[in-house]
Amino acid sequence: MGPQSSGKSTLLNHLFNTNFREMDAYRGRSQTTKGIWIAKCAGIEPCTIVMDLEGTDGRERGEDDTAFEKQSALFALAVSDVVLINMWCHDIGREQAANKPLLKTVFQVMLRLFSPRKTTLMFVIRDKTRTPLENLEPLLREDIQKIWDSVPKPEAHKRTPLSDFFNVQVVALSSYEEKEEQFKEQVAHLRQKFFHSIAPGGLAGDRRGVVPASGFSFSSQQIWKVIKENKDLDLPAHKVMVATVRCEEIANEKYSFFVANEDWLELEEAVQSQLVPGFGRKLSSLLSNCLFSYDEEATYFEDSVRSAKRKQLEEKLLQLVQPVYQLMLEHIRSGTLDYFKKALNDALSGGQGFAAAARDGTTKSMRLFDEQCKDAVIKQANWDSSKARDKFSRDLESHIAEVRTAKLSELTALYESKLKNALYGSVEALLEGGSDDTWPAIRKLLHHETETAISEFSVALSGFEMDEEAEEDMISKLRNYARGVVEAKTREEAGRVLYRMKERFTSIFNHDNDSMPRVWTGKEDIRAITKTARSSSLKLLSVLAAIRLDDDTDTIGDTLVLTLVDPKKGTSKSTSLQDPLASSTWEEVPAAKTLITPVQCKSLWNQFQRETEYTITQAIASQEANKRNNNWLPPPWAIAAMVVLGFNEFMTLLRNPLWLLVIFVSYLLLKALWVQLDISGEFRNGALPGILSLSTKFLPTVTNLLRKLAEEGQRPATTDAHSNTSNPSQASRIIQGVVGSNSAFSSTASSEVTMENEVEYTSPSRHDKDL
């Protein structure tokens, strides 16, 4: 800034290689620069912007129109680091010509800003005369100090020295028109001061609160707008406003770049499906690069605003990546849980105790979870993974409890199965025996098998490290299960007691003491056998009438015997009492242990007797039939009558022996037919069925007999045919051979008939042997 036509534009063009419009001296002295012109300096680092202001004290604006001068001065001080004040050398020491009004304006404006921002005031003395600069500079500084002291100041800056606001420098230049070369050399020397002007100790001063280049355009517009509206210019508030706008723009730009970053997109996509190693390091690096880029661009803006916008950007970025981080924690949790499940399963398969395996697996899994969470930590975020860790811990506890329950169930089922296999068949066999020793044997078996299983079960439970009460509870349940198996089997057998009783009766009644089938020859005492068989069946009924696992005594057996087998003894002892089996409960036997009530026992016994009567009747019938078959001789009187009446026929046979041969051969033939047709067996079922059966078998039997006689007769024909036909003994041997060859058949047929009717008869083969 400076007076009109003082060579400001010429100086700037030579000093900064700009092309501001210069005054044409040949056309007269007039206003050349109107308003404020801005250009970029050429060849100076760092980037420097120069402004050419309209000259002061111009006749074109008049004496009273000084508003623009103040506005432009205010604008220059608000945006500039260095202010060059152009003045003529011969005006130093003068009141008006020395730009004292301009200096007053500058100082007033600076104080109006209320910001002790140090600005460099460089007084450029033009057309230096012979007076040395050393003599001119003190005068100029003295005038400047007087102006500063005379300017009214606010209370806060009453005692503020000039040096707090301004760094005053004085340079002198030769006349451009008279000493152009010298002028250019001096300008070139001055130009060097503008290189690295913002470095510490440089020409640009302290540069406190400066606006970065990216915000210069917006800041300049806002400053000029405030000046034009004639408002008090609060530079700190203005800088905050500029910094707010620009930092927000930069932050939005960096956020957009981050969202579109390929590395971030790849990382986000990878995390959707799997655990990504080094997740925290990769994401922290991406966030750091984004924030560093923001810091680089926003570093010269207001610190508080820059920091606030940086924090907002950081929060926005963390809000963007937090779902991905949570998904990563979920992958860590699920992956580590799978690792724990496999480790626990392998440890249990290897024989390690459940509690130790669960404890070791939990420790290793928690350590692995913490390591992976540490690997996923984002440096910029202070996120706490304790909730995820607590959830993972609960998942481990839930899985351990689930597996523990399953393993205990498997273990319990295993030993229950062992107990069932050990008890089921044995108890059934003991109950089938049905004797006085049945229940003591069952109790002994139950105690032995239960204690053996519990001993093994306790060893297996030791690996679970259960508390004593829980272990005792499981052992008690196993004891109850074993007892329940015995009770269930007893109830099952009690449900088919009638079948078991009939089976017992049939077995004892039809077999002797050597377990051989009985042959009812007529000598057996069927009554005694029946009583023995029924008593044994009754013993089975008394055994199954109640459950006796507690070694309690009862009178069920005696009551049943006295009431059902020997009723006379029971009634003689207690004739005045009612029927003992008319009750629905047994004495000294709880209802829970009663399987067959007294009333049911009596009903079952009556049904049992009805269903076994047929077997007894068959035995008696077989015995009678056997007696009849064994008594084949006629009565003595018949024998005497045959001797007396058949004397003549007997004598005839003695006189003619040939008749004896004929009778003998006929007897053999009839005997063979008797055996072949099994006449006695056929008539056993009645006369009519026997006749019908013999009528169908007679001709085939005769044909078969004749064929066999022919075959036997042809064997010795090759040796002596004549002796065969004339020798009676030979013929008899042939018939005997035929009869003997069929004796086996007759014996088999007789045996089959005997087994069908559950009665054995003496085989007809005995007659063959006698014959």
Side-chain angles (χ1 to χ4, degrees):
M1 62 178 62
Q4 180 175 301
S5 302
S6 60
K8 298 186 301 298
S9 300
T10 303
L11 175 61
L12 293 178
N13 290 337
H14 284 83
L15 184 59
F16 299 113
N17 292 328
T18 54
N19 57 355
F20 292 122
R21 182 183 176 190
E22 299 178 5
M23 182 188 69
D24 187 0
Y26 294 101
R27 298 182 61 180
R29 306 186 69 84
S30 61
Q31 187 182 48
T32 304
T33 303
K34 295 181 180 181
I36 302 174
W37 292 75
I38 301 178
K40 180 177 180 298
C41 299
I44 294 181
E45 293 295 336
C47 176
T48 303
I49 300 296
V50 62
M51 296 189 301
D52 188 10
L53 269 62
E54 179 180 320
T56 61
D57 198 19
R59 68 179 182 84
E60 283 79 6
R61 290 197 178 268
E63 182 179 356
D64 298 325
D65 189 8
T66 60
F68 184 76
E69 292 182 5
K70 293 181 180 180
Q71 291 173 351
S72 61
L74 182 57
F75 180 76
L77 289 174
V79 302
S80 301
D81 296 302
V82 181
V83 177
L84 281 72
I85 299 176
N86 210 40
M87 60 185 305
W88 298 106
C89 180
H90 53 262
D91 286 336
I92 295 177
R94 297 179 180 176
E95 184 64 28
Q96 297 296 329
N99 288 324
K100 287 184 179 181
L102 176 61
L103 287 177
K104 276 188 178 182
T105 301
V106 170
F107 292 159
Q108 288 175 357
V109 168
M110 200 64 189
L111 289 172
R112 186 180 172 188
L113 295 178
F114 296 108
S115 176
R117 172 175 173 264
K118 210 164 189 178
T119 304
T120 300
L121 290 180
M122 180 176 287
F123 290 88
V124 182
I125 300 174
R126 304 292 299 273
D127 297 349
K128 186 184 68 169
T129 60
R130 293 180 180 179
T131 305
L133 181 61
E134 292 79 6
N135 296 332
L136 295 175
E137 184 173 352
L139 294 175
L140 183 58
R141 287 183 179 275
E142 184 180 350
D143 292 341
I144 295 173
Q145 185 64 45
K146 288 180 180 181
I147 297 172
W148 174 258
D149 293 338
S150 63
V151 170
K153 303 179 184 66
E155 190 65 30
H157 296 287
K158 285 288 187 181
R159 301 181 180 277
T160 302
L162 176 67
S163 58
D164 286 353
F165 281 87
F166 299 103
N167 176 25
V168 179
Q169 294 190 16
V170 180
V171 295
L173 299 178
S174 300
S175 174
Y176 173 69
E177 295 180 354
E178 298 176 359
K179 300 177 182 180
E180 184 176 354
E181 293 299 327
Q182 192 176 357
F183 172 81
K184 291 181 179 180
E185 289 178 4
Q186 293 171 351
V187 169
H189 179 71
L190 178 61
R191 178 183 174 87
Q192 297 300 318
K193 292 185 178 183
F194 287 90
F195 283 91
H196 308 293
S197 58
I198 63 174
L203 190 62
D206 57 7
R207 288 180 55 81
R208 285 181 296 176
V210 297
V211 177
S214 61
F216 177 74
S217 174
F218 177 78
S219 176
S220 300
Q221 294 176 28
Q222 294 301 316
I223 289 175
W224 186 251
K225 181 179 179 182
V226 172
I227 293 172
K228 289 289 289 181
E229 291 175 356
N230 197 21
K231 295 180 180 179
D232 289 339
L233 182 60
D234 188 356
L235 284 184
H238 171 76
K239 292 173 185 177
V240 169
M241 183 269 295
V242 174
T244 300
V245 174
R246 280 298 300 146
C247 289
E248 187 170 353
E249 290 177 354
I250 295 171
N252 292 336
E253 179 183 353
K254 299 309 173 185
Y255 180 81
S256 300
F257 285 162
F258 183 87
V259 171
N261 191 323
E262 293 184 0
D263 294 337
W264 156 248
L265 295 176
E266 292 177 0
L267 184 62
E268 183 183 24
E269 183 178 359
V271 173
Q272 298 300 321
S273 58
Q274 62 184 356
L275 181 70
V276 179
F279 170 82
R281 175 178 50 80
K282 295 177 181 178
L283 189 53
S284 297
S285 177
L286 292 174
L287 292 173
S288 296
N289 292 337
C290 181
L291 294 174
F292 179 76
S293 178
Y294 168 85
D295 291 338
E296 278 191 329
E297 292 194 27
T299 185
Y300 296 110
F301 287 103
E302 182 70 24
D303 290 342
S304 59
V305 177
R306 182 181 72 246
S307 300
K309 293 300 178 182
R310 187 186 192 279
K311 186 176 181 181
Q312 291 179 6
L313 173 62
E314 186 174 354
E315 291 176 353
K316 195 174 180 181
L317 290 173
L318 292 178
Q319 187 177 3
L320 173 67
V321 303
Q322 188 175 19
V324 182
Y325 173 76
Q326 293 296 334
L327 184 58
M328 184 68 181
L329 290 182
E330 183 64 23
H331 285 317
I332 294 173
R333 185 191 64 82
S334 59
T336 312
L337 183 60
D338 292 340
Y339 166 82
F340 171 78
K341 291 179 180 178
K342 184 178 183 302
L344 180 61
N345 186 53
D346 293 343
L348 295 177
S349 300
Q352 189 176 4
F354 180 84
R359 188 165 49 250
D360 295 343
T362 299
T363 302
K364 293 179 181 178
S365 299
M366 293 302 295
R367 186 185 305 116
L368 177 61
F369 180 85
D370 292 339
E371 290 175 356
Q372 291 183 340
C373 285
K374 185 177 180 181
D375 183 62
V377 168
I378 300 173
K379 295 180 181 179
Q380 292 79 7
N382 190 23
W383 291 332
D384 186 10
S385 61
S386 59
K387 291 185 178 179
R389 194 178 193 276
D390 293 341
K391 183 179 180 182
F392 175 66
S393 179
R394 291 193 299 271
D395 290 343
L396 292 183
E397 293 174 358
S398 176
H399 182 71
I400 290 172
E402 181 180 348
V403 175
R404 184 175 182 272
T405 302
K407 291 297 180 182
L408 287 175
S409 298
E410 291 178 6
L411 192 63
T412 303
L414 173 63
Y415 282 95
E416 286 179 352
S417 177
K418 287 184 177 181
L419 278 174
K420 186 174 182 179
N421 293 335
L423 294 173
Y424 208 77
S426 300
V427 171
E428 182 178 4
L430 290 172
L431 291 175
E432 285 180 2
S435 64
D436 293 333
D437 297 332
T438 296
W439 280 108
I442 290 176
R443 288 193 293 268
K444 183 177 180 181
L445 173 68
L446 174 63
H447 177 75
H448 176 267
E449 295 296 339
T450 302
E451 292 304 321
T452 301
I454 287 176
S455 177
E456 297 176 359
F457 188 60
S458 299
V459 174
L461 287 179
S462 62
F464 289 87
E465 299 181 5
M466 303 172 60
D467 58 273
E468 186 176 353
E469 183 178 354
E471 185 173 350
E472 286 298 327
D473 182 62
M474 294 193 68
I475 292 175
S476 176
K477 289 181 179 178
L478 189 63
R479 287 183 187 274
N480 294 336
Y481 177 81
R483 189 183 181 96
V485 169
V486 176
E487 292 180 355
K489 187 58 185 176
T490 306
R491 294 181 187 277
E492 181 183 338
E493 291 298 317
R496 49 184 182 177
V497 62
L498 181 62
Y499 170 77
R500 293 294 188 191
M501 290 170 63
K502 291 190 295 183
E503 191 179 51
R504 171 73 66 84
F505 176 85
T506 302
S507 177
I508 296 176
F509 189 81
N510 290 331
H511 294 81
D512 57 18
N513 293 332
D514 297 328
S515 299
M516 297 297 293
R518 293 185 187 275
V519 179
W520 303 106
T521 62
K523 299 178 182 180
E524 296 81 14
D525 187 356
I526 293 180
R527 182 179 297 276
I529 294 172
T530 301
K531 186 175 181 180
T532 302
R534 285 181 173 177
S535 298
S536 180
S537 299
L538 188 63
K539 173 60 68 175
L540 181 62
L541 178 62
S542 67
V543 168
L544 292 174
I547 298 173
R548 302 174 178 89
L549 291 178
D550 296 327
D551 201 12
D552 296 332
T553 58
D554 58 69
T555 59
I556 295 177
D558 296 339
T559 302
L560 291 177
V561 171
L562 293 176
T563 307
L564 301 177
V565 178
D566 296 323
K568 293 181 180 180
K569 295 181 180 179
T571 55
S572 64
K573 291 182 180 179
S574 56
T575 54
S576 61
L577 299 178
Q578 62 177 1
D579 185 2
L581 299 183
S583 174
S584 60
T585 58
W586 297 104
E587 293 183 3
E588 301 178 355
V589 178
K593 297 181 179 180
T594 301
L595 301 180
I596 306 174
T597 63
V599 174
Q600 291 173 338
C601 285
K602 187 173 183 179
S603 177
L604 287 170
W605 183 254
N606 293 334
Q607 186 177 354
F608 165 75
Q609 285 184 319
R610 288 194 301 271
E611 294 184 6
T612 56
E613 283 178 357
Y614 178 76
T615 302
I616 300 171
T617 303
Q618 286 292 97
I620 294 172
S622 298
Q623 203 175 47
E624 294 295 330
N626 209 358
K627 288 180 180 180
R628 288 193 301 269
N629 290 336
N630 290 335
N631 192 16
W632 57 276
L633 292 175
W637 61 268
I639 296 174
M642 285 190 293
V643 171
V644 173
L645 296 176
F647 180 77
N648 294 331
E649 286 79 4
F650 179 71
M651 294 303 294
T652 302
L653 291 176
L654 290 177
R655 293 188 187 98
N656 191 358
L658 184 60
W659 282 106
L660 291 175
L661 178 62
V662 172
I663 292 172
F664 178 70
V665 172
S666 298
Y667 169 74
L668 292 178
L669 291 174
L670 290 174
K671 180 63 176 178
L673 286 174
W674 182 275
V675 173
Q676 290 283 346
L677 293 174
D678 190 17
I679 294 176
S680 60
E682 295 293 342
F683 281 97
R684 187 180 297 117
N685 296 324
L688 183 60
I691 293 172
L692 294 175
S693 178
L694 290 176
S695 64
T696 58
K697 295 169 60 178
F698 182 76
L699 288 178
T701 304
V702 171
T703 304
N704 185 38
L705 181 62
L706 293 177
R707 180 175 56 79
K708 288 185 178 292
L709 287 173
E711 291 176 355
E712 292 292 332
Q714 289 176 359
R715 284 183 183 175
T718 57
T719 56
D720 192 358
H722 296 284
S723 62
N724 260 342
T725 57
S726 61
N727 193 347
S729 63
Q730 181 69 26
S732 65
R733 286 196 300 272
I734 293 171
I735 294 174
Q736 288 177 359
V738 173
V739 174
S741 65
N742 292 283
S743 63
F745 170 78
S746 64
S747 177
T748 303
S750 177
S751 300
E752 289 176 355
V753 172
T754 301
M755 293 304 294
E756 283 180 2
N757 295 276
E758 299 183 355
V759 180
E760 290 196 7
Y761 297 94
T762 303
S763 175
S765 62
R766 294 180 181 177
H767 298 283
D768 297 342
K769 292 179 182 180
D770 296 339
L771 180 62

Short mmCIF file of all heavy atoms in Angstrom, two decimals, residues 4-5 21 23 28-35 54-56 58-61 68:
data_model
loop_
_atom_site.label_atom_id
_atom_site.label_comp_id
_atom_site.label_asym_id
_atom_site.label_seq_id
_atom_site.Cartn_x
_atom_site.Cartn_y
_atom_site.Cartn_z
N GLN A 4 -0.97 7.20 -4.07
CA GLN A 4 -1.22 6.99 -5.50
C GLN A 4 -0.03 7.47 -6.31
O GLN A 4 0.61 8.47 -6.00
CB GLN A 4 -2.50 7.76 -5.90
CG GLN A 4 -2.88 7.62 -7.36
CD GLN A 4 -4.21 8.29 -7.69
OE1 GLN A 4 -5.22 7.93 -7.09
NE2 GLN A 4 -4.18 9.28 -8.56
N SER A 5 0.30 6.74 -7.37
CA SER A 5 1.37 7.06 -8.32
C SER A 5 2.73 7.10 -7.64
O SER A 5 3.61 7.86 -8.04
CB SER A 5 1.08 8.41 -9.02
OG SER A 5 -0.16 8.37 -9.68
N ARG A 21 -0.67 -3.65 -13.82
CA ARG A 21 -0.69 -2.49 -14.74
C ARG A 21 0.07 -1.32 -14.10
O ARG A 21 -0.15 -1.00 -12.95
CB ARG A 21 -2.14 -2.09 -15.01
CG ARG A 21 -2.27 -0.91 -15.98
CD ARG A 21 -3.73 -0.55 -16.13
NE ARG A 21 -3.88 0.63 -16.97
CZ ARG A 21 -5.01 1.30 -17.14
NH1 ARG A 21 -6.12 0.88 -16.51
NH2 ARG A 21 -5.08 2.36 -17.91
N MET A 23 1.62 2.81 -14.37
CA MET A 23 1.21 4.14 -14.88
C MET A 23 2.13 4.55 -16.06
O MET A 23 3.34 4.31 -16.03
CB MET A 23 1.33 5.17 -13.76
CG MET A 23 0.88 6.59 -14.17
SD MET A 23 1.26 7.80 -12.90
CE MET A 23 3.05 7.83 -13.02
N GLY A 28 0.63 11.39 -18.25
CA GLY A 28 0.23 12.19 -17.08
C GLY A 28 0.11 11.29 -15.87
O GLY A 28 0.08 10.06 -15.96
N ARG A 29 0.01 11.91 -14.72
CA ARG A 29 -0.08 11.15 -13.47
C ARG A 29 -1.54 11.05 -13.08
O ARG A 29 -2.20 12.05 -12.87
CB ARG A 29 0.73 11.85 -12.38
CG ARG A 29 2.20 12.11 -12.80
CD ARG A 29 3.01 12.67 -11.67
NE ARG A 29 3.25 11.71 -10.60
CZ ARG A 29 4.24 10.82 -10.63
NH1 ARG A 29 5.09 10.78 -11.67
NH2 ARG A 29 4.43 9.98 -9.62
N SER A 30 -2.00 9.84 -12.97
CA SER A 30 -3.42 9.60 -12.63
C SER A 30 -3.52 8.23 -11.95
O SER A 30 -2.53 7.49 -11.82
CB SER A 30 -4.29 9.66 -13.90
OG SER A 30 -3.89 8.64 -14.80
N GLN A 31 -4.72 7.94 -11.53
CA GLN A 31 -4.95 6.63 -10.87
C GLN A 31 -4.85 5.50 -11.89
O GLN A 31 -5.50 5.51 -12.91
CB GLN A 31 -6.33 6.63 -10.20
CG GLN A 31 -6.60 5.40 -9.37
CD GLN A 31 -7.99 5.44 -8.78
OE1 GLN A 31 -8.95 5.72 -9.51
NE2 GLN A 31 -8.11 5.20 -7.48
N THR A 32 -3.98 4.52 -11.54
CA THR A 32 -3.78 3.37 -12.43
C THR A 32 -4.46 2.12 -11.86
O THR A 32 -5.20 1.43 -12.56
CB THR A 32 -2.28 3.11 -12.64
OG1 THR A 32 -1.67 4.30 -13.13
CG2 THR A 32 -2.08 1.97 -13.61
N THR A 33 -4.18 1.83 -10.61
CA THR A 33 -4.75 0.63 -9.96
C THR A 33 -6.03 1.00 -9.25
O THR A 33 -6.04 1.91 -8.43
CB THR A 33 -3.75 0.02 -8.95
OG1 THR A 33 -2.54 -0.29 -9.62
CG2 THR A 33 -4.33 -1.22 -8.29
N LYS A 34 -7.09 0.34 -9.61
CA LYS A 34 -8.38 0.55 -8.98
C LYS A 34 -8.77 -0.74 -8.23
O LYS A 34 -8.79 -1.82 -8.81
CB LYS A 34 -9.44 0.90 -10.01
CG LYS A 34 -9.19 2.24 -10.70
CD LYS A 34 -10.29 2.55 -11.69
CE LYS A 34 -10.04 3.90 -12.38
NZ LYS A 34 -11.11 4.24 -13.34
N GLY A 35 -9.10 -0.58 -6.98
CA GLY A 35 -9.48 -1.75 -6.18
C GLY A 35 -8.26 -2.53 -5.71
O GLY A 35 -7.19 -1.96 -5.49
N GLU A 54 -5.12 -0.30 -4.28
CA GLU A 54 -5.37 1.04 -4.84
C GLU A 54 -4.66 2.09 -3.97
O GLU A 54 -4.65 2.00 -2.75
CB GLU A 54 -6.87 1.31 -4.87
CG GLU A 54 -7.25 2.68 -5.41
CD GLU A 54 -8.74 2.91 -5.44
OE1 GLU A 54 -9.48 1.95 -5.79
OE2 GLU A 54 -9.18 4.02 -5.06
N GLY A 55 -4.04 3.07 -4.61
CA GLY A 55 -3.27 4.08 -3.88
C GLY A 55 -4.15 5.00 -3.04
O GLY A 55 -5.31 5.26 -3.36
N THR A 56 -3.54 5.49 -1.97
CA THR A 56 -4.26 6.41 -1.08
C THR A 56 -4.00 7.84 -1.51
O THR A 56 -3.12 8.14 -2.30
CB THR A 56 -3.78 6.19 0.36
OG1 THR A 56 -2.38 6.48 0.46
CG2 THR A 56 -4.05 4.78 0.83
N GLY A 58 -5.72 9.81 -3.33
CA GLY A 58 -5.92 10.08 -4.76
C GLY A 58 -7.00 11.11 -4.97
O GLY A 58 -7.99 11.16 -4.23
N ARG A 59 -6.81 11.90 -6.01
CA ARG A 59 -7.79 12.95 -6.28
C ARG A 59 -9.08 12.36 -6.83
O ARG A 59 -10.13 13.00 -6.77
CB ARG A 59 -7.21 13.97 -7.26
CG ARG A 59 -6.97 13.47 -8.66
CD ARG A 59 -6.41 14.55 -9.57
NE ARG A 59 -6.22 14.10 -10.92
CZ ARG A 59 -7.18 14.08 -11.86
NH1 ARG A 59 -8.41 14.50 -11.54
NH2 ARG A 59 -6.93 13.63 -13.06
N GLU A 60 -9.02 11.16 -7.41
CA GLU A 60 -10.21 10.59 -8.02
C GLU A 60 -11.28 10.30 -6.96
O GLU A 60 -12.47 10.47 -7.22
CB GLU A 60 -9.87 9.29 -8.76
CG GLU A 60 -9.20 9.50 -10.12
CD GLU A 60 -7.71 9.82 -9.97
OE1 GLU A 60 -7.19 9.76 -8.80
OE2 GLU A 60 -7.07 10.11 -10.97
N ARG A 61 -10.87 9.88 -5.78
CA ARG A 61 -11.86 9.58 -4.73
C ARG A 61 -12.19 10.81 -3.90
O ARG A 61 -13.19 10.81 -3.20
CB ARG A 61 -11.36 8.46 -3.84
CG ARG A 61 -11.33 7.10 -4.56
CD ARG A 61 -11.22 5.97 -3.59
NE ARG A 61 -11.24 4.69 -4.27
CZ ARG A 61 -12.32 3.97 -4.51
NH1 ARG A 61 -13.50 4.43 -4.13
NH2 ARG A 61 -12.25 2.82 -5.14
N PHE A 68 -12.88 3.34 1.27
CA PHE A 68 -12.24 2.19 0.62
C PHE A 68 -10.81 2.04 1.10
O PHE A 68 -10.30 0.93 1.17
CB PHE A 68 -12.30 2.37 -0.91
CG PHE A 68 -11.75 1.18 -1.64
CD1 PHE A 68 -12.48 0.00 -1.75
CD2 PHE A 68 -10.48 1.24 -2.21
CE1 PHE A 68 -11.96 -1.08 -2.42
CE2 PHE A 68 -9.98 0.14 -2.88
CZ PHE A 68 -10.71 -1.02 -3.00
#
